[in-house]
Amino acid sequence: NHKKCNKIRYGDKIWRQDWNLTWHTENPDFTQCFQNTVLVCIPCIYLWVCFPVYFLYLRCHDRGYIQMSNLNKAKTALGLILWIVCWADLFYSFWERKNIFRPPFFLVMPTVLGITMLLATFLIQYERIKGVQSSGVMTIFWLISLSCATVVFRSKIKHALNTGAEVDAFRYVTFCIYFILLLVQLILCCLPERPPLFSETNPCPESSASFLSRITFWWITGLMVQGYRRPLEAKDLWSLNKEDKSEEIVQPLNMLYSPKKQQKSSDSNGDVTEEAEALIIKPSQKSSEASLFKVLYKTFGPYFLMSFLFKAAHDLLMFAGPEILKLLINFVNNKAAPNWQGYFYTGLLFFCACLQTLILHQYFHICFVTGMRLKTAIVGVIYRKALVITNSARKTSTVGEIVNLMSVDAQRFMDLATYINMIWSAPLQVILALYLLWQNLGPSVLAGVAVMILLVPINAVMAMKTKTYQVAQMKSKDNRIKLMNEILNGIKVLKLYAWELAFREKVLEIRQKELKVLKKSAYLAAMATFTWVCAPFLVALSTFAVYVTIDKNNILDAQKAFVSLALFNILRFPLNMLPVVISSIVEASVSLKRLRVFLSHEELDPDSIIRGPVTEGEFLFLLKNSVCRFWAELCALYFSINFTVPEGSLVAVVGQVGCGKSSLLSALLGEMEKKEGYVVVKGSVAYVPQQAWVQNATLEDNILFGREKNESRYKRVIEACALLPDIEILPTGDKTEIGEKGVNLSGGQKQRVSLARAVYCNADVYLCDDPLSAVDAHVGKHIFEKVIGPKGILKNKTRVLVTHAINYLPQMDTILVMSDGEISEMGSYQELLKQDGAFAEFLRTYANAEQSMENSGKFTNKFSWNKLMCALEKGELLVLKLDLQNEYSFLFSPPFCLQVKATVYWDYMKAIGLFISFLSIFLFMCNHIASLTSNYWLSLWTDDPVINGTQQYTNVRLGVYGALGISQGLLGGIFASRHLHLNLLHSVLRSPMSFFERTPSGNLVNRFSKEIDTIDSTIPPIIKMFMGSTFNVIGACIIILLATPIAAVIIPPLGLVYLFVQRFYVATSRQLKRLESVSRSPVYSHFNETLLGVSVIRAFEEQKRFIKQNDMKVDENQKAYYPSIVANRWLAVRLEYVGNCIVLFAALFAVIARNKLSAGLVGLSVSYSLQITAYLNWLVRMSSELETNIVAVERVKEYAEMEKEAEWSIEQTAPASTWPEEGKIEFRGYGLRYREDLDLVLKNINVTINGGEKIGIVGRTGAGKSSLTLGLFRINEAAEGEIIIDGINIAKIGLHDLRFKITIIPQDPILFSGSLRMNLDPFDQHSDEDVWRSLELAHLKTFVSSLPDKLNHECAEGGENLSVGQRQLVCLARALLRKSKILVLDEATAAVDLETDKLIQSTIKSQFEECTVLTIAHRLNTIMDYTRVLVLDRGEVVECGSPDHLLQEKGIFYSMAKDSGLV
């Protein structure tokens, strides 16, 4: 351009003068011609290039219409005035042409500029119509125009002041007006417009924020301030942007993805054999594989593509830093250069850094938002699919797997979104860096590159190794957790047998293995750190060494050295990222495949049943020759079924177990695959499944199930379903929240709720799958009369009832008898009895069972009500409810105490060992001091014209590094976790029983798995990085201070700003994280629930409502997630600005003091300051990570410092090894309570039991029988009085001393996973013969001998692979093996059949003849021949004597004997 203008204007004057005017002068300026052409063109070109793209974008994205406002009018008016000003210039030029000849651009330029201004004015209006509140395109346009005009303006002023040169008055005036208008336009453009019409409540301020506020993320500051002042709550969060909402995202995806599946199911619907079917499905599979990716791409691609541009821009800007550094060093070296150049470079450096910051975070923002949308989309699609998938297809993936698809796989996609651009950006960065390095150093760069490339496989090998170690560690961790789980589940038995030590050893053994692996991986990590730290250094070293040695004339000066260092630093990142990215892509592709498989499952054919409207016709169901196929595996279950049900009749379906009764109902609901024939159902359907399905909502919601509430009808339904008494019991009536899967309801209550839901919805057809099975007999009768039977609420509806209850059959209109998938008989009760076929036989088998049930039924009912009332008195039911509330309130109450106390860090250091902690900190310092000195050395070297000092420098440097990498404080981390785990395990085993009853085992297992894992593998690396970043930042500051001491004025205030921002961020971000995780679990639990109740949802046709609910829950979660993404960006932008300021001041002071400084020092201080931004970012991230994770230490400590039970063994009072010799037990005034605040469960018990007596203990439920044994074993310590065995007060001796000497056969036989031998004798005290003998006496010898491994037979977790009876016998064998003087039998009624019971009794009689036996009896016939019987009632002994004596007294014992039919 210079040349052109000059040719036109100044003829052949040499254009170098131009440079003299612009560059080599103390007072720079551009030539007139350059000003009038190039500077005018730049903004115009920008706007015309942007216009078509932007116009199209606005056409597609309509956000609603914005009304005219004063702001808008002002903008438009200014635009028009600008156009007038430009054209005034143009007409002036025309007028002027008469007198003076002017070059043509005096006409062309104003014309172009005028048209551009018109275009700008048009865009301002078009944006308003399309609802854009603040536009980036326009802001940038005004900014560019203004900056170009500023240059011209300065030049014009200078020109006017300079000489008496002639001044073109008219043009000066128009230009001044133009300049001022531009300035005003820019200011106006920064203000946002009012929101479009019809926008939502509490909208996200992002949409209404101005462009500047958007690129700096200023708009979230309000939330940050709020979060800093007080804990955030869900209502403080903004609603999502429209384009991030579930319905917006999932709808198009579903639309695009569904047609592919339809063709497939229609193909396989005909009567085809399996093979043909498979062939038809195969080809269409391919199309759907491609399609899922394509669909995701179509949906999210366009938005995501913007990130490509941002990333590319950022990558190019990254290299601006080193290039400017090069110029800056040259400037410092060249003493003749004018001063303003230095300031210019400094400004340029700062500007580039800031631009880079803004662009990078815009890019990240786009990536994260895309990731968030992807997750929403995937969750939505999976949920919708889960509602239509066939049962057979659902069997192929478990509920857990499907939930995993939602959580894990969706997460993978989110991660991928942030990484995927690295695939093209990393190679780009590498190529650029190498190109610049080559320019700088020539071929010797190849040495450095070679080192880098060599390091890549080393890193890869290490990663592989680490992976194998991780797998091994996971395996032992799983074993450890499984064992812990068992210990916690069977803790009561462990305590009764005093086996804690044996199990502690087992856990620690596994833990040792785990720590071995951890240690290995720690060494590996140290190696990796070593290579990672040394890599850039080695690369630089090899390059410089080669460069210097190749040729004597190659002098390593500051410019070459530091620019190369900066470039090598850039190069480090992409090389390390590539493996991560590739593995991330592989994982995502696996996830994509899993998703695709799930989404291409068979769907239910909605037309398999014909649902007609209700006409006055007489039939309601027809199943014509319908062969339904139940799950694919079981092939055709029904051969052929024809039946019709008249409207309004009551039909019972009966038959043996597994003959296909439930399947018949499924067929009517259309849940089965239909082979042929047809099913017609008229009217709406209500369905009561066999296993009641209850949602996690209030009781009322469960019954209403999305219908509106009609008070009178609701009351009637509750009354009929016998729910009134239950509602009275519940703490808040029918508003009580029911836990997931209905945990706080009993089985019968759940069943009744499920029935009430069906009754309330008032359908035409009722399908009930054995609803009376789970309820007590009298309640069942009530329900049948009030609801199902001929006089019930439903008497005019059609009811199909699957049932086992024979007593209701006579009242049925029709009975279907099924056997093996066919209807064998059909007719009314009387008819079927006459036929004397399958039905009569069915009656006979069930009648006997019923009879006996009826008798015991009365007894148990009375009991269960008593029990309930007892429980109520104790307030146990209420406890459940309160706990649930506490959970939630806990999540909201203590946000401030999350400021982790310093003591926790101190504890952690103590656990590692203080010496090691301080050593590692010291080593860290050495490391960083070494790296600083080496770089300082480099700067000295570069200032040194002669080549020397290479040798010395390398040795010192490498030596220090080597020492550091090896002793890195990693091993410390392991010491810590080992110590903490030991403490935790020990104290949990020492906790009293009441602790386990209060604490959910999930919490404990969580402490042992999650928290210990965090301490093992998360905290050490975080601490390492945290310390690394801290020292890096400090180091950089020191270097800058060394170079330019004046910086001391600037660094502290910047540090304060930094701290302030960081505190602000940490407070809010932690709460956002909490809100996000609190709102995340409902998504999964709701999904879980839906999967369990999918047939009910389909039967009631409620899919739409559930989809809506799911969308709402996902949106709730994203509402918390979105601000947390933005908060991260907010923080990063602020911090990088702090970093950029440091760069600015480092460069600025270097320029100011250029005469005192050597080029080397300038290079050093600026290159350090360039790195500081990255470190600052890391530092904040690491410190907040550290705070979140160190909580694990706190929580482990918390359990390690709880109340303990008494000592396990006390040396001084240990009884003799032969104690107890006779087995005499005395209770003196004994009383016992479960907790301090509860009443006594046993009071005032005075009984003496002589050695060898056989005592039976009886009493109604809750009379305190089991409490007596608990007292004997000191599971609960006495509240008053004492127990004396053979003259020794048991409260005075150690727990293990006591428990080893008494044997119990507990009520529920618990076995642990391990060999059978370990279950009998965990301490290995007995010989094999003893063990076999005890097995023989326990009647297990034949069974054990038949096992392949005999005594080493592995028992499954909880002894699942033995029958309950066998487990009971194993417990007996344990008792026989211990052979102690006192035996307590907590008689297990439920577990054992009569035969085993007889065996046990006879063994006890023969083997424990001279022992004292206490039996807690439930069946009175077992204790009729005992010496004495104690009858307990309400915790007191009411009767005591021989059985015959008590029967004559006709007291409580007599009435109990009468109940059990012994009298």
Side-chain angles (χ1 to χ4, degrees):
N1 270 327
H2 297 285
K3 267 190 183 173
K4 264 197 219 123
C5 299
N6 291 330
K7 285 284 190 316
I8 300 167
R9 294 184 51 198
Y10 308 109
D12 287 334
K13 261 194 191 169
I14 304 167
W15 61 281
R16 192 182 300 124
Q17 274 179 339
D18 251 357
W19 273 118
N20 286 341
L21 177 64
T22 313
W23 192 246
H24 303 293
T25 158
E26 284 296 323
N27 202 349
D29 200 358
F30 286 110
T31 55
Q32 203 60 43
C33 150
F34 182 79
Q35 287 176 14
N36 284 342
T37 50
V38 180
L39 291 183
V40 174
C41 273
I42 292 174
C44 303
I45 293 168
Y46 163 78
L47 196 62
W48 286 101
V49 169
C50 286
F51 175 67
V53 183
Y54 190 51
F55 185 71
L56 283 173
Y57 169 79
L58 284 179
R59 273 194 63 173
C60 306
H61 295 258
D62 192 352
R63 295 225 181 89
Y65 177 86
I66 297 180
Q67 292 167 308
M68 258 299 201
S69 61
N70 293 337
L71 179 63
N72 207 279
K73 286 175 189 157
K75 281 188 195 170
T76 315
L78 287 178
L80 291 170
I81 299 172
L82 275 169
W83 166 67
I84 292 165
V85 169
C86 294
W87 282 26
D89 222 356
L90 174 72
F91 294 132
Y92 180 68
S93 295
F94 272 123
W95 173 78
E96 212 178 28
R97 275 190 98 137
K98 295 176 199 144
N99 321 338
I100 335 166
F101 171 73
R102 289 275 186 181
F105 67 78
F106 273 99
L107 300 178
V108 179
M109 280 305 135
T111 321
V112 174
L113 200 56
I115 296 172
T116 309
M117 288 305 161
L118 272 182
L119 178 64
T121 314
F122 163 71
L123 270 180
I124 289 174
Q125 281 308 315
Y126 193 64
E127 282 178 347
R128 176 182 69 82
I129 292 167
K130 290 293 179 194
V132 178
Q133 286 176 280
S134 170
S135 136
V137 175
M138 295 310 292
T139 310
I140 292 173
F141 168 70
W142 295 121
L143 188 67
I144 293 176
S145 308
L146 187 69
S147 41
C148 288
T150 313
V151 173
V152 182
F153 192 55
R154 176 180 173 274
S155 155
K156 282 209 179 315
I157 290 175
K158 196 177 141 197
H159 185 71
L161 295 178
N162 214 0
T163 49
E166 89 281 8
V167 175
D168 193 341
F170 180 75
R171 285 218 171 83
Y172 264 58
V173 173
T174 53
F175 186 76
C176 285
I177 295 172
Y178 170 74
F179 183 72
I180 291 164
L181 289 177
L182 280 181
L183 187 60
V184 177
Q185 271 289 31
L186 180 61
I187 293 167
L188 288 182
C189 207
C190 290
L191 305 173
E193 289 280 349
R194 59 172 72 173
L197 301 171
F198 318 119
S199 42
E200 71 230 282
T201 52
N202 195 8
C204 184
E206 179 183 15
S207 50
S208 56
S210 67
F211 173 69
L212 281 177
S213 157
R214 263 217 217 115
I215 56 172
T216 56
F217 299 100
W218 186 256
W219 51 270
I220 196 185
T221 312
L223 188 73
M224 300 301 250
V225 174
Q226 215 175 5
Y228 183 68
R229 288 209 185 120
R230 62 177 175 76
L232 291 175
E233 293 162 37
K235 61 169 188 295
D236 298 326
L237 301 174
W238 310 302
S239 46
L240 279 175
N241 296 336
K242 183 159 165 278
E243 55 269 22
D244 295 334
K245 287 218 170 107
S246 281
E247 46 219 320
E248 292 290 317
I249 294 175
V250 185
Q251 240 70 36
L253 247 184
N254 250 355
M255 307 277 287
L256 287 168
Y257 195 64
S258 37
K260 309 270 189 316
K261 292 173 307 212
Q262 257 19 69
Q263 80 202 27
K264 189 181 104 181
S265 48
S266 62
D267 285 349
S268 55
N269 249 0
D271 270 319
V272 216
T273 55
E274 288 285 319
E275 286 92 336
E277 218 175 286
L279 288 175
I280 295 168
I281 294 175
K282 274 277 161 40
S284 67
Q285 192 99 40
K286 267 283 161 277
S287 68
S288 83
E289 169 174 7
S291 71
L292 181 58
F293 185 73
K294 270 191 202 138
V295 166
L296 288 176
Y297 176 75
K298 268 188 199 143
T299 321
F300 304 110
Y303 177 70
F304 193 61
L305 276 173
M306 308 218 309
S307 69
F308 279 34
L309 303 172
F310 282 130
K311 186 70 178 143
H314 170 250
D315 285 356
L316 293 174
L317 275 173
M318 240 165 89
F319 292 102
E323 289 307 289
I324 297 170
L325 177 61
K326 188 161 146 187
L327 296 170
L328 196 68
I329 291 176
N330 280 347
F331 161 78
V332 173
N333 276 338
N334 174 9
K335 302 291 180 206
N339 263 342
W340 67 270
Q341 285 181 13
Y343 299 126
F344 172 68
Y345 289 142
T346 304
L348 201 57
L349 196 58
F350 182 63
F351 174 72
C352 280
C354 291
L355 196 59
Q356 187 181 335
T357 299
L358 293 179
I359 288 178
L360 178 67
H361 294 297
Q362 244 7 70
Y363 158 72
F364 273 140
H365 186 62
I366 290 179
C367 288
F368 277 114
V369 170
T370 309
M372 176 177 101
R373 289 182 188 173
L374 262 175
K375 186 169 178 180
T376 303
I378 287 168
V379 172
V381 168
I382 290 176
Y383 189 84
R384 285 159 171 74
K385 177 75 185 186
L387 284 175
V388 292
I389 187 175
T390 57
N391 276 326
S392 53
R394 227 185 82 217
K395 283 277 168 284
T396 57
S397 38
T398 60
V399 176
E401 276 170 8
I402 303 178
V403 173
N404 259 354
L405 277 180
M406 270 181 137
S407 51
V408 181
D409 296 339
Q411 193 61 44
R412 293 233 176 107
F413 278 103
M414 281 173 80
D415 295 343
L416 183 67
T418 46
Y419 280 144
I420 190 143
N421 279 323
M422 287 303 291
I423 277 296
W424 57 267
S425 137
L428 176 76
Q429 286 180 23
V430 171
I431 290 165
L432 272 173
L434 288 181
Y435 168 70
L436 291 172
L437 277 169
W438 186 280
Q439 278 199 329
N440 211 355
L441 294 177
S444 44
V445 169
L446 294 176
V449 176
V451 173
M452 273 193 166
I453 290 171
L454 274 177
L455 286 174
V456 170
I458 292 178
N459 274 343
V461 169
M462 283 191 175
M464 297 291 293
K465 249 329 214 197
T466 314
K467 198 127 197 140
T468 52
Y469 282 153
Q470 248 170 355
V471 171
Q473 187 201 337
M474 285 311 283
K475 212 161 138 192
S476 37
K477 183 175 144 198
D478 287 349
N479 285 338
R480 188 182 92 231
I481 298 308
K482 201 175 109 204
L483 190 60
M484 275 316 302
N485 213 353
E486 273 188 71
I487 289 178
L488 295 174
N489 288 338
I491 187 84
K492 191 164 177 182
V493 176
L494 276 192
K495 286 195 173 303
L496 290 172
Y497 284 126
W499 278 1
E500 293 104 334
L501 287 171
F503 277 85
R504 192 177 110 189
E505 287 316 305
K506 279 183 73 172
V507 176
L508 290 180
E509 196 181 320
I510 299 180
R511 181 77 184 144
Q512 256 348 91
K513 272 190 211 153
E514 203 179 340
L515 286 175
K516 256 207 201 102
V517 176
L518 263 175
K519 218 172 219 162
K520 280 185 194 161
S521 56
Y523 283 125
L524 252 185
M527 291 275 296
T529 317
F530 180 60
T531 53
W532 161 250
V533 172
C534 291
F537 163 70
L538 286 174
V539 170
L541 181 66
S542 53
T543 310
F544 294 152
V546 170
Y547 178 70
V548 174
T549 47
I550 280 177
D551 185 355
K552 280 278 173 283
N553 303 333
N554 282 347
I555 291 178
L556 188 63
D557 55 9
Q559 172 198 333
K560 289 205 170 69
F562 287 107
V563 173
S564 313
L565 270 184
L567 286 169
F568 276 129
N569 274 337
I570 289 179
L571 198 52
R572 204 164 115 183
F573 179 68
L575 284 180
N576 281 304
M577 275 310 283
L578 269 178
V580 178
V581 175
I582 289 166
S583 70
S584 166
I585 286 179
V586 171
E587 280 178 353
S589 68
V590 171
S591 293
L592 192 70
K593 192 160 135 229
R594 288 175 46 173
L595 260 180
R596 200 190 63 240
V597 168
F598 179 70
L599 291 180
S600 49
H601 274 327
E602 292 277 308
E603 295 190 2
L604 276 183
D605 182 10
D607 314 324
S608 63
I609 48 172
I610 304 156
R611 283 206 177 179
V614 184
T615 47
E616 280 311 305
E618 101 146 33
F619 290 121
L620 247 142
F621 286 139
L622 280 104
L623 264 84
K624 261 283 186 324
N625 298 337
S626 160
V627 178
C628 285
R629 204 176 75 183
F630 196 44
W631 329 136
E633 306 96 81
L634 299 182
C635 289
L637 230 172
Y638 300 148
F639 300 107
S640 62
I641 289 184
N642 295 313
F643 81 106
T644 52
V645 179
E647 188 167 344
S649 68
L650 173 56
V651 178
V653 182
V654 296
Q656 303 291 2
V657 177
C659 65
K661 302 186 292 290
S662 302
S663 312
L664 178 67
L665 294 191
S666 297
L668 292 175
L669 288 170
E671 298 268 317
M672 311 275 279
E673 260 172 86
K674 190 178 60 177
K675 279 305 186 211
E676 62 195 9
Y678 59 96
V679 186
V680 185
V681 178
K682 283 195 182 148
S684 56
V685 174
Y687 171 57
V688 183
Q690 194 164 2
Q691 281 174 326
W693 174 70
V694 184
Q695 274 182 284
N696 181 2
T698 61
L699 188 69
E700 181 180 46
D701 293 340
N702 261 305
I703 294 174
L704 299 181
F705 206 55
R707 315 263 183 309
E708 59 270 12
K709 184 169 177 178
N710 168 348
E711 204 50 63
S712 59
R713 176 177 180 76
Y714 178 68
K715 284 253 170 55
R716 225 167 67 235
V717 169
I718 284 189
E719 219 270 313
C721 294
L723 278 168
L724 277 177
D726 303 301
I727 287 179
E728 281 162 19
I729 290 176
L730 292 168
T732 47
D734 59 2
K735 297 284 186 291
T736 305
E737 182 92 12
I738 291 170
E740 47 189 295
K741 296 190 188 155
V743 282
N744 44 357
L745 295 182
S746 68
Q749 287 169 329
K750 278 190 264 193
Q751 194 71 59
R752 295 201 294 273
V753 170
S754 163
L755 185 63
R757 172 195 302 148
V759 177
Y760 185 82
C761 88
N762 200 7
D764 305 307
V765 179
Y766 281 84
L767 306 175
C768 304
D769 199 344
D770 209 356
L772 304 176
S773 56
V775 297
D776 301 338
H778 64 110
V779 182
K781 202 159 156 196
H782 171 97
I783 288 179
F784 186 78
E785 282 165 12
K786 286 286 195 340
V787 183
I788 305 172
K791 297 193 186 60
I793 294 191
L794 305 177
K795 55 177 180 285
N796 306 327
K797 316 276 191 199
T798 309
R799 293 142 299 173
V800 176
L801 176 70
V802 170
T803 184
H804 285 160
I806 293 179
N807 35 2
Y808 307 129
L809 291 182
Q811 307 182 31
M812 302 289 176
D813 301 343
T814 323
I815 297 173
L816 300 181
V817 184
M818 297 190 63
S819 59
D820 298 339
E822 289 184 298
I823 292 182
S824 52
E825 297 175 282
M826 181 171 174
S828 70
Y829 187 71
Q830 263 40 41
E831 291 166 17
L832 291 178
L833 274 184
K834 287 193 191 101
Q835 288 176 10
D836 199 29
F839 178 65
E841 186 188 333
F842 171 76
L843 275 187
R844 282 201 272 298
T845 33
Y846 271 94
N848 301 342
E850 278 287 294
Q851 234 57 52
S852 57
M853 272 299 292
E854 275 292 276
N855 289 345
S856 61
K858 286 178 200 147
F859 196 61
T860 48
N861 275 333
K862 197 155 75 193
F863 252 16
S864 55
W865 278 107
N866 283 351
K867 211 166 177 179
L868 244 177
M869 297 326 288
C870 276
L872 271 179
E873 282 161 28
K874 286 193 204 147
E876 270 171 24
L877 265 179
L878 302 174
V879 173
L880 240 175
K881 191 61 214 129
L882 294 177
D883 277 5
L884 287 171
Q885 281 162 355
N886 282 351
E887 283 283 292
Y888 284 111
S889 57
F890 162 70
L891 289 169
F892 292 112
S893 56
F896 283 118
C897 64
L898 286 173
Q899 276 271 339
V900 182
K901 304 179 200 67
T903 52
V904 177
Y905 293 103
W906 184 241
D907 282 332
Y908 184 69
M909 280 169 70
K910 271 198 303 214
I912 299 174
L914 293 180
F915 174 69
I916 294 183
S917 321
F918 285 119
L919 181 69
S920 54
I921 292 177
F922 175 69
L923 286 170
F924 257 113
M925 283 173 65
C926 295
N927 165 22
H928 285 283
I929 290 169
S931 95
L932 290 181
T933 37
S934 65
N935 278 338
Y936 188 64
W937 190 270
L938 186 64
S939 81
L940 293 180
W941 179 19
T942 55
D943 294 337
D944 207 347
V946 197
I947 301 160
N948 63 5
T950 39
Q951 216 39 54
Q952 201 180 344
Y953 145 58
T954 51
N955 284 348
V956 173
R957 173 80 156 150
L958 270 178
V960 177
Y961 256 140
L964 156 95
I966 295 161
S967 57
Q968 193 115 61
L970 264 187
L971 303 176
I974 290 171
F975 289 132
S977 70
R978 172 193 200 156
H979 200 83
L980 289 165
H981 178 259
L982 189 65
N983 282 350
L984 174 66
L985 177 66
H986 190 75
S987 52
V988 164
L989 288 178
R990 288 263 332 257
S991 299
M993 200 57 217
S994 60
F995 167 72
F996 293 100
E997 282 157 5
R998 275 203 311 265
T999 316
S1001 63
N1003 281 5
L1004 284 168
V1005 172
N1006 202 0
R1007 292 285 195 279
F1008 273 102
S1009 58
K1010 191 87 173 45
E1011 317 293 359
I1012 291 284
D1013 187 51
T1014 308
I1015 296 174
D1016 275 351
S1017 43
T1018 328
I1019 293 184
I1022 287 180
I1023 287 188
K1024 203 174 79 195
M1025 285 175 182
F1026 174 71
M1027 292 181 47
S1029 317
T1030 316
F1031 283 120
N1032 274 331
V1033 172
I1034 295 173
C1037 291
I1038 290 173
I1039 289 282
I1040 293 171
L1041 287 174
L1042 276 180
T1044 50
I1046 191 177
V1049 181
I1050 286 300
I1051 287 177
L1054 282 178
L1056 284 176
V1057 170
Y1058 171 82
L1059 275 175
F1060 178 66
V1061 167
Q1062 193 244 18
R1063 288 261 47 102
F1064 237 75
Y1065 161 76
V1066 169
T1068 307
S1069 120
R1070 196 186 297 122
Q1071 288 157 34
L1072 284 172
K1073 251 197 192 121
R1074 193 190 73 229
L1075 283 175
E1076 197 258 342
S1077 59
V1078 168
S1079 66
R1080 189 172 47 217
S1081 39
V1083 176
Y1084 299 143
S1085 54
H1086 177 242
F1087 183 57
N1088 241 333
E1089 229 162 53
T1090 309
L1091 283 175
L1092 293 172
V1094 77
S1095 52
V1096 180
I1097 295 172
R1098 283 184 209 150
F1100 284 95
E1101 294 186 315
E1102 286 282 315
Q1103 291 99 319
K1104 284 265 186 325
R1105 183 168 69 90
F1106 273 82
I1107 286 176
K1108 208 182 190 105
Q1109 264 186 353
N1110 180 55
D1111 283 355
M1112 270 172 52
K1113 288 190 159 64
V1114 172
D1115 287 348
E1116 275 301 308
N1117 184 19
Q1118 301 294 36
K1119 242 162 77 170
Y1121 178 66
Y1122 185 65
S1124 72
I1125 305 174
V1126 180
N1128 275 334
R1129 301 279 71 78
W1130 179 88
L1131 169 80
V1133 170
R1134 304 284 171 287
L1135 290 191
E1136 291 200 9
Y1137 267 95
V1138 172
N1140 294 343
C1141 288
I1142 292 181
V1143 175
L1144 172 72
F1145 288 116
L1148 190 64
F1149 293 143
V1151 172
I1152 291 174
R1154 65 188 265 219
N1155 299 325
K1156 300 197 221 36
L1157 286 186
S1158 67
L1161 265 176
V1162 173
L1164 186 63
S1165 89
V1166 174
S1167 65
Y1168 257 96
S1169 68
L1170 279 175
Q1171 287 176 37
I1172 210 168
T1173 34
Y1175 291 139
L1176 283 179
N1177 250 339
W1178 259 119
L1179 190 57
V1180 161
R1181 200 164 299 152
M1182 284 301 123
S1183 58
S1184 65
E1185 285 272 282
L1186 189 58
E1187 280 206 2
T1188 13
N1189 285 312
I1190 202 84
V1191 173
V1193 178
E1194 195 172 18
R1195 296 171 66 176
V1196 170
K1197 292 288 292 183
E1198 170 196 12
Y1199 271 5
E1201 289 161 0
M1202 279 162 329
E1203 48 165 337
K1204 307 274 187 293
E1205 54 182 6
E1207 288 294 320
W1208 275 345
S1209 55
I1210 304 171
E1211 283 298 312
Q1212 299 82 21
T1213 59
S1217 56
T1218 54
W1219 175 87
E1221 271 131 20
E1222 53 173 323
K1224 178 178 175 195
I1225 308 174
E1226 290 179 70
F1227 289 89
R1228 298 187 183 162
Y1230 187 74
L1232 174 80
R1233 54 164 62 105
Y1234 279 108
R1235 282 216 304 272
E1236 260 70 78
D1237 45 352
L1238 295 180
D1239 296 333
L1240 291 174
V1241 200
L1242 295 175
K1243 35 189 180 290
N1244 195 14
I1245 292 189
N1246 291 299
V1247 177
T1248 304
I1249 298 168
N1250 296 320
E1253 276 198 296
K1254 308 284 179 282
I1255 302 283
I1257 302 172
V1258 295
R1260 304 243 185 242
T1261 316
K1265 302 189 295 284
S1266 307
S1267 313
L1268 202 57
T1269 52
L1270 295 181
L1272 193 56
F1273 280 91
R1274 281 178 62 203
I1275 297 290
N1276 290 42
E1277 299 288 350
E1280 53 191 49
E1282 54 194 11
I1283 301 178
I1284 293 191
I1285 299 181
D1286 278 8
I1288 290 185
N1289 181 348
I1290 63 168
K1292 298 278 190 288
I1293 58 176
L1295 288 181
H1296 280 189
D1297 298 335
L1298 167 69
R1299 291 174 187 168
F1300 270 129
K1301 298 297 160 94
I1302 319 178
T1303 310
I1304 186 168
I1305 300 182
Q1307 200 166 5
D1308 30 0
I1310 292 184
L1311 300 187
F1312 298 96
S1313 56
S1315 65
L1316 199 57
R1317 160 132 213 179
M1318 195 231 60
N1319 266 304
L1320 291 170
D1321 176 25
F1323 288 100
D1324 276 336
Q1325 291 165 333
H1326 303 274
S1327 64
D1328 275 9
E1329 294 84 66
D1330 291 350
V1331 176
W1332 276 112
R1333 207 172 73 249
S1334 67
L1335 282 176
E1336 186 178 1
L1337 292 169
H1339 310 277
L1340 274 172
K1341 186 168 184 181
T1342 44
F1343 167 68
V1344 179
S1345 316
S1346 66
L1347 295 170
D1349 301 332
K1350 308 237 179 337
L1351 281 179
N1352 293 329
H1353 171 69
E1354 277 294 313
C1355 300
E1357 195 168 337
E1360 304 286 321
N1361 50 2
L1362 299 178
S1363 74
V1364 183
Q1366 283 165 339
R1367 272 185 259 166
Q1368 193 68 53
L1369 291 174
V1370 171
C1371 290
L1372 177 63
R1374 273 181 200 162
L1376 289 164
L1377 201 57
R1378 276 173 88 156
K1379 199 71 177 164
S1380 57
K1381 267 294 193 214
I1382 299 176
L1383 172 70
V1384 180
L1385 252 182
D1386 198 341
E1387 185 191 274
T1389 33
V1392 192
D1393 47 289
L1394 292 167
E1395 230 163 309
T1396 326
D1397 198 42
K1398 287 207 183 80
L1399 287 177
I1400 293 180
Q1401 289 299 336
S1402 61
T1403 310
I1404 287 172
K1405 282 213 184 64
S1406 59
Q1407 290 303 312
F1408 291 101
E1409 211 157 349
E1410 65 280 1
C1411 305
T1412 312
V1413 180
L1414 300 178
T1415 304
I1416 292 180
H1418 294 257
R1419 292 202 193 114
L1420 296 185
N1421 51 3
T1422 52
I1423 57 161
M1424 280 320 213
D1425 50 357
Y1426 275 26
T1427 35
R1428 276 198 292 168
V1429 175
L1430 291 181
V1431 184
L1432 286 176
D1433 188 39
R1434 301 218 180 136
E1436 302 187 53
V1437 178
V1438 276
E1439 300 176 8
C1440 176
S1442 66
D1444 303 338
H1445 174 71
L1446 291 180
L1447 282 179
Q1448 269 136 29
E1449 283 200 349
K1450 296 227 157 63
I1452 298 183
F1453 185 67
Y1454 174 77
S1455 62
M1456 287 172 77
K1458 197 167 167 189
D1459 280 347
S1460 20
L1462 288 174
V1463 185

